[in-house]
């Protein structure tokens, strides 16, 4: 049995998955734009709904691709004399996978989790700025708040303001992307682990796969520069 057409279809489905990922990235950036512009909470929540819809599509697509792959592997393993009903077998496996769906699946979607995390950080950064604008804060307190905020903009490695901050998902600390990746690469060549450069942090095994772009912090740094 030739599975060339099946392989071609799977390849097309994986392309569809890349479109879903792109859509989730765009929705995340739009939500951050809305927070930065101090838009209504409802507008931001609508983007969260979009993210959950994308997560549901991603789950369904993953289940279908898995059903196809498992069916193909089963046929290759069993080598039946007659060509089985591929459509029925795939549908059967797909239905079994879909029957186990739950809302928690969507909440665990990696891009949705990143969306929620960045939204939380964005609100911290920009709601603080909004409070400073709207309330009569004494100048000394405002200066202290700005100084504290600017300290968070400094990379613990370069001791300079970050341009492309990345955050460690394990310990939550941020670094300049190029600086931390250079350390990871150097230590990898030495076959040694990388300790988090943030003073006082006990995390002793920083990996490149644990780093994610901190878009919220980057926007806060850029906003501070404009002010």
């Amino acid at each position: 049995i030739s599975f060339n057409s099946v392989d071609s279809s799977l390849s097309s489905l994986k392309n569809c998955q890349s479109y879903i990922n792109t859509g989730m990235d765009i929705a995340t950036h739009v939500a951050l734009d809305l927070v930065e512009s101090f838009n209504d909470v409802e507008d931001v929540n609508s983007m969260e709904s979009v993210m959950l819809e994308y997560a549901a599509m991603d789950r369904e697509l993953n289940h279908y691709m898995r059903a196809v792959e498992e069916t193909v592997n089963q046929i290759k393993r069993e080598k039946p004399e007659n060509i089985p009903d591929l459509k029925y077998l795939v549908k059967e496996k797909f239905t079994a996978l879909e029957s186990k769906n739950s809302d928690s699946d969507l909440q665990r979607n990696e891009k949705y989790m990143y969306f929620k995390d960045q939204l939380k950080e964005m609100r911290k950064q920009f709601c603080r700025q909004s409070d400073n604008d709207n309330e009569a804060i004494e100048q000394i307190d405002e200066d202290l708040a700005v100084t504290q905020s600017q300290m968070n903009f400094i990379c613990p490695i370069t001791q300079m303001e970050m341009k492309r901050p990345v955050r460690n998902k394990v310990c939550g600390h941020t670094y300049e992307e190029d600086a931390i990746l250079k350390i990871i690469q150097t230590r990898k060549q030495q076959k040694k682990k990388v300790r988090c450069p943030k003073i006082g942090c006990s995390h002793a095994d920083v990996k490149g796969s644990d780093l994610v772009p901190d878009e919220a912090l980057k926007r806060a740094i850029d906003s501070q520069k404009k002010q």
Side-chain angles (χ1 to χ4, degrees), residues 190-208:
Q190 298 170 346
K191 296 183 179 180
K192 294 180 179 179
K193 293 181 179 180
V194 178
R195 176 174 288 278
C196 175
K198 186 74 173 179
I199 295 174
C201 182
S202 60
H203 183 46
D205 190 13
V206 179
K207 297 184 177 71

Side-chain angles (χ1 to χ4, degrees), residues 82-119:
N82 299 318
I83 298 176
D85 188 339
L86 290 177
K87 186 176 180 181
Y88 173 78
L89 290 175
V90 169
K91 185 178 180 182
E92 191 176 46
K93 291 181 184 298
F94 174 71
T95 302
L97 290 169
E98 285 285 290
S99 67
K100 298 175 183 177
N101 286 349
S102 68
D103 290 342
S104 60
D105 296 338
L106 307 183
Q107 307 285 339
R108 289 195 297 270
N109 178 281
E110 188 173 345
K111 283 192 175 291
Y112 176 76
M113 290 169 65
Y114 177 75
F115 169 87
K116 292 290 287 182
D117 178 68
Q118 285 292 288
L119 210 55

Side-chain angles (χ1 to χ4, degrees), residues 202-218:
S202 60
H203 183 46
D205 190 13
V206 179
K207 297 184 177 71
S209 57
D210 293 330
L211 305 176
V212 293
D214 198 330
E215 180 67 21
L217 182 58
K218 184 179 185 305

Side-chain angles (χ1 to χ4, degrees), residues 114-180:
Y114 177 75
F115 169 87
K116 292 290 287 182
D117 178 68
Q118 285 292 288
L119 210 55
K120 179 182 174 183
E121 292 300 315
M122 197 73 177
R123 281 171 170 148
K124 275 187 198 173
Q125 296 288 350
F126 285 89
C127 286
R128 185 188 302 130
Q129 289 184 23
S130 177
D131 291 342
N132 286 347
D133 291 339
N134 297 328
E135 294 177 12
I137 302 175
E138 292 182 11
Q139 187 63 42
I140 188 170
D141 290 338
E142 189 169 339
D143 289 344
L144 186 62
V146 170
T147 301
Q148 182 62 43
S149 180
Q150 287 174 334
M151 284 176 65
N152 296 330
F153 299 166
I154 302 300
C155 171
I157 303 167
T158 66
Q159 293 303 309
M160 295 174 66
E161 189 173 85
M162 290 178 276
K163 295 178 181 177
R164 295 178 63 184
V166 290
R167 189 154 54 83
N168 192 322
K169 293 187 289 186
V170 178
C171 63
H173 293 126
T174 53
Y175 334 96
E176 180 65 50
E177 183 178 32
D178 289 344
I180 187 65

